[in-house]
Amino acid sequence: MLNFDKDRFVGIQSGAISIADDVRSLMKKLISGGAERLFFMGTGGVQLLTLPAIELAGRLSTFPVASAFPAQVVLDPPAGLDDKAVVVIPSLSGTTRESVELLSFLKARGCITITLTGHKDTPLAQEADYNFTNFAEDDTSSEMFYLQTLLIVLALLAERGEYAGYEATVAELKTLPELLVGVKAAFEDTAAQLAATIKDENYHIFTGAGSVWPESYYYGMCILEEMQWIRTRPVHAADFFHGTLELVEPGVSVFVFKGEDKYRPLSDRVENFARRYTDRVRVLDAAAAPLPGISPEVRALISPVILATELERLSAHLEVLRQHPLTTRRYYKRVEY
């Protein structure tokens, strides 16, 4: 596979899942200690990677689990940011400016803080109440944060008696890193062909529903826009027919992401419509990925992980064909924000 280090990838994803026992113990401690609310507050694209876990909590639990933008929180915080609130802050670098400012703000209010970082010797790793550091870089961080935030929510639900299969789910997830290598290998030729097809296209609509909607948003904004300077229009599949459908015409690229949860029919509906009006419909379906030994229940939880690991292969080919490394930015180091 192009520019892929199997051992590095497996090690990073195994490290992500290895926090499962500690997360369960921590959730037990926090719930028994009186925690009443859970927030996820990430800056930029990493916040999108927390949304599938938040959505899962909203379906299975009455415990308040919400998201918020750090840059907004420090200006006008939501209700409930006190010593009964647990706030999870993911940051690959551990130095993200808005998130560092947020951490100080939360500590002053007495909130319980948990950080998920890719580097230990950083402000977010060292100054939080609890930290889980697992070395990762851009090409491996999506799967890592999807898995870690999923484990946090599942541990919370398990402690509240709202999810009975925590140990069994973790056992399956521990086999996932090696299986994801197989997913990448199975998708490699498709990724190469798709990259060759779209390398000169400058606009794409991205859509999905349920747990894969955040990945469609993330890939459009954080990969194609930020790392390739390609214009995109992410739109939730439930909103597609309330505006974006009018942009579909011959030659318009529509990426449809499909998961294995109950929201899949929303993506099917968009695909069926788009195929009637454009010849550029690209479907990425988590259900097509080979994952032997993973139960349907767990597959439904990890659809965004599957798509993220496939899309990394697309990115690897795109940066070569477009002669535009994923690390190249115009403004990232120069913007005061």
Side-chain angles (χ1 to χ4, degrees), residues 244-257:
T244 307
L245 82 166
E246 295 293 342
L247 300 179
V248 179
E249 60 185 5
V252 171
S253 173
V254 181
F255 275 82
V256 181
F257 289 6

Side-chain angles (χ1 to χ4, degrees), residues 186-199:
F187 192 71
E188 184 74 4
D189 289 346
T190 299
Q193 293 167 10
L194 183 55
T197 300
I198 71 170
K199 66 182 179 65

